[in-house]
Amino acid sequence: MPTEEPSRAPRRRRATGLVGAARLTLGALAFVALGVTSAAVTSTSAGAQSIDSSTGIPSDNFWLADAQGAVWNFGDAAALGSAASLPLNHPIVGMAVTPDGKGYWLVASDGGIFSFGDATFYGSTGSIALNQPIVGMAPTPDGKGYWLVASDGGIFNYGDAAFYGSTGSIHLDQPIVGMAPTQDDTGYWLVASDGGIFNFGDAAFDGSAAGGPALDPAERVVASPSGQGYWVEDQDGTAYPFGDATGFPPTEALMFAPVTPGDKAVLFAFAQLGKPYIWGGNGPVGYDCSGLALASWQNGAGVGFARVSDDQYETAGQPVALNALAAGDLVFWGSSQTDWTSVYHTAIYVGGDQIVEATGDHVQLNALGQWGSGDLMPNGRRP
């Protein structure tokens, strides 16, 4: 396989400003919504209203988790442990962070609970014959209890978590995927995979994301600080505010289930984080920028394309506008925005104006706009 010439090695300049366009995002894992822009996203569904969304992948501190129980920590998020080395009977389907952000729980589809950091175990459904699998969990506001929720909306409460109702006896168009308590702990919301909302106790209904334009399924509902609103979050961290919810949700853990080929490419790229930059590297020991892009798509999604950055920009899949980037799309830098042969760097877009790239001395997660927009090529590519 050909390698990149030295003239194509990344030449970076200090940022003069972030790229302004907001992006629909990937399906990546557990995210804090920090340092990203918001956008009005208009649904193409008949009769649906426009929904404001805020892309959600963080710029610094967060955990990533997968169905095998692996947990990755980034920024100041502490390494608190994982279930990856345990013989799991059922896959991990949910992750919840303690109120102080110093611990988390993992929950399996049978309701088995794994607690880390200052997260306390209060009980599980691991020994109960469930009608439907557990799909998520939510801690009480004081962290002294939690709820487990099944895909039919059945609720199981532990510790100081109280029961206020469920959708267990209701015919649902789409399965329940998550829940959140009100701030005073006297009610909760359930969210379905299409963004539909069901409210119980003192939880008020302020709207839903059902019928919206999301590429990835809804996964979580997050109460606003006042409890007078909420965000509906897709699995990629894209957040839709309702009621008095504004800006971005607090730290949340989102489980990743790949939906698109791009999601699969991103998941492979995340697994390479921290590996060394090797000029001409194709993996698995290390990568250069275009080698990482190709390996992620080949190994993650079974899709191949050109090896070198400029050829990737010219021929990999289809062009995509920078304001329509999705998980796994390739983004490029070149010395001339009108000449594809000037392209010298490739990165993988992962959502929320974030990229995975092989640059410097290792594979890393960075902001798309960290180097400014001067050399950013005018479109990405979707293999």
Side-chain angles (χ1 to χ4, degrees), residues 298-318:
Q298 279 187 328
N299 292 285
V303 176
F305 44 80
R307 169 60 178 81
V308 183
S309 293
D310 57 357
D311 291 332
Q312 291 175 352
Y313 181 72
E314 177 70 3
T315 64
Q318 300 297 320

Side-chain angles (χ1 to χ4, degrees), residues 25-81:
T25 56
L26 83 146
L29 323 183
F31 307 161
V32 186
L34 298 176
V36 293
T37 55
S38 61
V41 181
T42 302
S43 171
T44 57
S45 301
Q49 295 180 339
S50 297
I51 300 175
D52 289 336
S53 71
S54 300
T55 53
I57 292 188
S59 57
D60 45 18
N61 312 318
F62 59 103
W63 292 282
L64 308 181
D66 68 10
Q68 289 70 49
V71 177
W72 297 273
N73 59 298
F74 297 89
D76 292 334
L80 301 175

Side-chain angles (χ1 to χ4, degrees), residues 20-378:
R23 328 238 183 252
L24 291 178
T25 56
L26 83 146
L29 323 183
F31 307 161
V32 186
L34 298 176
V36 293
T37 55
S38 61
V41 181
T42 302
S43 171
T44 57
S45 301
Q49 295 180 339
S50 297
I51 300 175
D52 289 336
S53 71
S54 300
T55 53
I57 292 188
S59 57
D60 45 18
N61 312 318
F62 59 103
W63 292 282
L64 308 181
D66 68 10
Q68 289 70 49
V71 177
W72 297 273
N73 59 298
F74 297 89
D76 292 334
L80 301 175
S82 78
S85 62
L86 301 177
L88 298 175
N89 295 322
H90 298 272
I92 298 297
V93 294
M95 183 181 190
V97 178
T98 57
D100 62 5
K102 296 180 180 179
Y104 48 77
W105 296 271
L106 300 179
V107 59
S109 62
D110 65 347
I113 296 291
F114 305 87
S115 49
F116 303 91
D118 67 356
T120 299
F121 177 81
Y122 295 105
S124 76
T125 61
S127 61
I128 299 174
L130 300 171
N131 293 325
Q132 296 295 329
I134 297 297
V135 293
M137 68 180 300
T140 57
D142 62 6
K144 296 181 180 179
Y146 46 72
W147 295 269
L148 306 185
V149 58
S151 63
D152 62 354
I155 297 293
F156 304 86
N157 51 303
Y158 299 93
D160 66 355
F163 179 80
Y164 296 105
S166 77
T167 61
S169 61
I170 299 174
H171 173 73
L172 300 171
D173 292 330
Q174 298 295 330
I176 297 298
V177 293
M179 66 178 299
T182 57
Q183 293 298 320
D184 61 5
D185 199 14
T186 55
Y188 44 70
W189 298 271
L190 305 185
V191 61
S193 63
D194 62 355
I197 292 291
F198 302 86
N199 53 304
F200 300 92
D202 70 350
F205 179 80
D206 292 306
S208 81
L215 299 179
D216 285 277
E219 185 175 313
R220 183 179 291 272
V221 56
V222 183
S224 67
S226 71
Q228 303 302 308
Y230 45 79
W231 294 268
V232 174
E233 282 191 271
D234 292 345
Q235 72 159 8
D236 61 0
T238 300
Y240 302 89
F242 298 94
D244 69 353
T246 59
F248 306 102
T251 302
E252 293 297 330
L254 299 175
M255 289 299 301
F256 173 68
V259 175
T260 67
D263 290 347
K264 297 175 182 178
V266 167
L267 184 58
F268 181 89
F270 272 128
Q272 313 314 305
L273 288 167
K275 289 189 176 182
Y277 178 94
I278 299 175
W279 184 71
N282 298 306
V285 175
Y287 303 88
D288 65 13
C289 63
S290 57
L292 175 66
L294 178 58
S296 296
W297 273 91
Q298 279 187 328
N299 292 285
V303 176
F305 44 80
R307 169 60 178 81
V308 183
S309 293
D310 57 357
D311 291 332
Q312 291 175 352
Y313 181 72
E314 177 70 3
T315 64
Q318 300 297 320
V320 58
L322 294 179
N323 65 358
L325 294 173
D329 289 347
L330 307 181
V331 288
F332 302 88
W333 287 258
S335 56
S336 170
Q337 277 57 65
T338 59
D339 180 7
W340 67 270
T341 66
S342 75
V343 170
Y344 58 78
H345 186 57
T346 308
I348 303 166
Y349 184 74
V350 300
D353 288 329
Q354 301 287 301
I355 55 175
V356 172
E357 59 180 342
T359 190
D361 61 1
H362 65 286
V363 178
Q364 50 196 278
L365 180 68
N366 290 320
L368 174 63
Q370 65 177 329
W371 307 109
S373 58
D375 281 7
L376 186 64
M377 297 301 283

